[in-house]
Amino acid sequence: MLEKCSYAKKCGGCRYQGIPYEKQLQEKERNIKKLLKSYGKVHTIAGMENPYHYRNKVHAVLKHMRNGDVISGIYEEGTHKVVPVECCQIEDQEADQVIQTIRKLAKSFKIKIYNEDSGYGTLRHVLVRTGRKTGEMLVVLVAASPVFPSKNNFVKALRKEHPSITTVVLNVNDRNTNMVLGDRNIVLYGKGYIEDELCGCRFRISPNSFYQVNPQQTEYLYGKAIELAGLSGKERVIDAYCGIGTIGLIAASGAKEVIGVELNKDAVRDAVVNSKINGIRNVKFYQKDAGDFLVEMAAQGEKADVVFMDPPRAGSSEAFMSSVIQMGPEKVVYISCNPQTLARDLEYFTKNGYQAKGIWPVDLFPFTSHCEAITLLEKKNRKQGRR
Ligand code: SAH
């Protein structure tokens, strides 16, 4: 058992700091049961063997101190005060070291750190993403302007200390916003993205695309979700909120065809490339709001046999769910990262012709209070309907 993290109070990211891992799992399972057991059986939560340093995506905000030092860390919970952080129990350790190096180099290269109040300065945040299987590493320097002084030498010095960095991108974010990344990426070194492998498929991940932060548990999550779908090879499958296409592409070999829908342009571009990298031909991706897309499909009388849905924390929309119900798939596999919105959405599905066959919690985020869960929904009275 590691020491309790000294930043825990100010950071607020790990609500379960100081609680033994077994207890964390029990607590999460209990919470899920409380919220969801009225909909279906809640199975034992799937935890990690080693719950440390699982995060493949590390973010740090930078700040200049009066003496010229640069600190890096996180915003104190609920504020814009920067808490300096040297290392974190749940983040990739090499990524943490890269951030320390960037801090040091920013000082020696005299890079001006952005000041949120005055709007003066350049470098705002650093984002590091690693591919667990491939070992590739992407560093994103988020700056307020596309002009980054001595960028080539900066990147050279950074790579010298961390040869495992495979690509460096300058992301331009000149807006006064809570979003870390802006829309524009300028590749400073390497290919501008990383690749990683999950469940036997290879995936390109661009800086602005969503990718699960705990790849080890994600393999379990996807495996379980696809197992629950019980594909036979004949199905028409929808992968909604598909990101870079992970679930749909992994499921494709067991289905007749897969249709993926996702709002983020970069993610859809990655998904299309990912189908090519893996030689998968029975998949099509669409860049659209998932609700709008399904409303259109349902209006055209399209059908589907299985719907995977993996919405963001806000959950799904009534437009989306009512269209799913209209299209009448035998199975809906709902992957949720927020039990509260899952409960709301299960209420809707179970009042409108579907029944939850079980709920499988998966601990994707040890030490935090977040919990992932898969719910298998099946159409009620399947046989009666045909009598
Ligand atoms: N299934 C993917 C992504 C899940 S995260 C994976 O496992 O990696 C949720 C995704 O939903 C994100 O990629 C986000 O960009 C996308 N998203 C958010 N709102 C959306 C909407 N209204 N319509 C379609 N996709 C949306």
Side-chain angles (χ1 to χ4, degrees):
M1 184 74 195
L2 286 182
E3 296 269 311
K4 188 169 171 180
C5 167
S6 54
Y7 314 109
K9 247 202 179 136
K10 288 191 164 160
C11 166
C14 291
R15 289 244 172 274
Y16 290 176
Q17 266 294 332
I19 302 176
Y21 188 54
E22 274 308 310
K23 279 254 162 62
Q24 297 179 28
L25 291 174
Q26 286 167 10
E27 177 87 12
K28 287 187 187 185
E29 199 179 299
R30 201 168 38 238
N31 289 342
I32 295 263
K33 275 193 177 138
K34 214 164 29 182
L35 262 167
L36 303 172
K37 71 167 191 273
S38 61
Y39 298 104
K41 182 179 171 179
V42 176
H43 293 259
T44 308
I45 187 166
M48 295 188 83
E49 219 157 87
N50 171 8
Y52 298 102
H53 302 296
Y54 57 86
R55 271 191 76 96
N56 60 4
K57 182 169 106 176
V58 176
H59 163 243
V61 54
L62 301 173
K63 191 183 170 191
H64 242 149
M65 302 308 279
R66 287 232 169 83
N67 65 2
D69 280 353
V70 177
I71 59 167
S72 66
I74 40 162
Y75 289 120
E76 185 170 336
E77 201 183 5
T79 75
H80 267 218
K81 254 167 66 190
V82 179
V83 183
V85 171
E86 297 287 328
C87 61
C88 164
Q89 289 185 4
I90 63 171
E91 291 172 354
D92 181 89
Q93 284 170 296
E94 193 173 1
D96 276 350
Q97 283 159 14
V98 167
I99 289 169
Q100 302 309 315
T101 304
I102 289 174
R103 211 172 72 178
K104 191 184 76 188
L105 291 177
K107 185 178 181 190
S108 60
F109 277 75
K110 299 196 169 55
I111 307 278
K112 296 268 186 304
I113 305 301
Y114 182 77
N115 179 314
E116 278 192 341
D117 299 323
S118 65
Y120 179 70
T122 306
L123 190 56
R124 302 181 73 163
H125 308 263
V126 178
L127 194 78
V128 181
R129 257 183 172 174
T130 50
R132 187 176 69 111
K133 290 265 174 74
T134 58
E136 295 183 11
M137 186 182 261
L138 161 75
V139 175
V140 185
L141 303 167
V142 185
S145 111
V147 184
F148 193 89
S150 32
K151 56 182 183 244
N152 291 340
N153 287 332
F154 187 89
V155 169
K156 218 186 218 166
L158 180 61
R159 284 180 46 229
K160 195 163 169 228
E161 292 211 28
H162 301 278
S164 44
I165 294 174
T166 50
T167 185
V168 182
V169 170
L170 178 64
N171 176 275
V172 187
N173 186 355
D174 51 11
R175 288 169 303 182
N176 196 354
T177 142
N178 276 338
M179 300 281 286
V180 173
L181 295 182
D183 294 331
R184 188 168 162 209
N185 289 310
I186 301 164
V187 179
L188 301 182
Y189 171 74
K191 48 194 185 181
Y193 56 85
I194 54 163
E195 291 186 5
D196 198 14
E197 283 172 20
L198 286 175
C199 305
C201 288
R202 201 170 169 97
F203 298 102
R204 167 194 288 207
I205 310 146
S206 295
N208 299 61
S209 300
F210 177 90
Y211 185 59
Q212 295 286 0
V213 296
N214 184 339
Q216 194 181 333
Q217 287 294 85
T218 297
E219 286 199 312
Y220 175 82
L221 179 82
Y222 289 171
K224 189 78 197 167
I226 292 169
E227 174 198 316
L228 290 170
L231 299 172
S232 71
K234 296 197 188 104
E235 293 82 2
R236 183 180 214 207
V237 172
I238 293 178
D239 177 7
Y241 310 91
C242 69
I244 59 171
T246 42
I247 298 171
L249 289 167
I250 295 165
S253 60
K256 181 159 165 263
E257 63 168 310
V258 177
I259 297 164
V261 58
E262 157 68 43
L263 195 55
N264 180 306
K265 281 197 189 74
D266 292 338
V268 175
R269 208 173 301 135
D270 287 346
V272 171
V273 170
N274 289 334
S275 58
K276 294 196 178 123
I277 297 177
N278 293 287
I280 297 170
R281 295 216 177 82
N282 57 341
V283 179
K284 262 212 166 112
F285 292 103
Y286 296 88
Q287 192 250 315
K288 251 197 144 157
D289 169 86
D292 291 350
F293 183 76
L294 257 80
V295 166
E296 245 170 64
M297 273 190 92
Q300 287 166 8
E302 298 275 353
K303 299 281 171 209
D305 302 299
V306 172
V307 172
F308 289 102
M309 56 187 286
D310 185 8
R313 290 186 57 73
S316 193
S317 64
E318 211 164 303
F320 180 91
M321 291 186 288
S322 64
S323 308
V324 168
I325 289 156
Q326 201 180 328
M327 289 169 69
E330 294 297 337
K331 288 180 181 178
V332 177
V333 182
Y334 190 143
I335 299 163
S336 160
C337 55
N338 183 349
Q340 256 88 26
T341 54
L342 174 62
R344 181 199 67 202
D345 292 350
L346 288 183
E347 185 69 26
Y348 189 86
F349 273 115
T350 53
K351 282 220 167 96
N352 290 284
Y354 281 78
Q355 144 179 48
K357 290 295 195 184
I359 296 150
W360 287 262
V362 181
D363 191 22
L364 231 52
F365 316 104
F367 290 97
T368 78
S369 55
H370 296 292
C371 191
E372 195 88 0
I374 312 169
T375 305
L376 172 64
L377 289 152
E378 280 185 8
K379 207 151 92 174
K380 271 188 216 163
N381 304 327
R382 283 192 272 171
K383 291 201 180 95
Q384 281 168 17
R386 288 197 203 109
R387 265 181 212 158

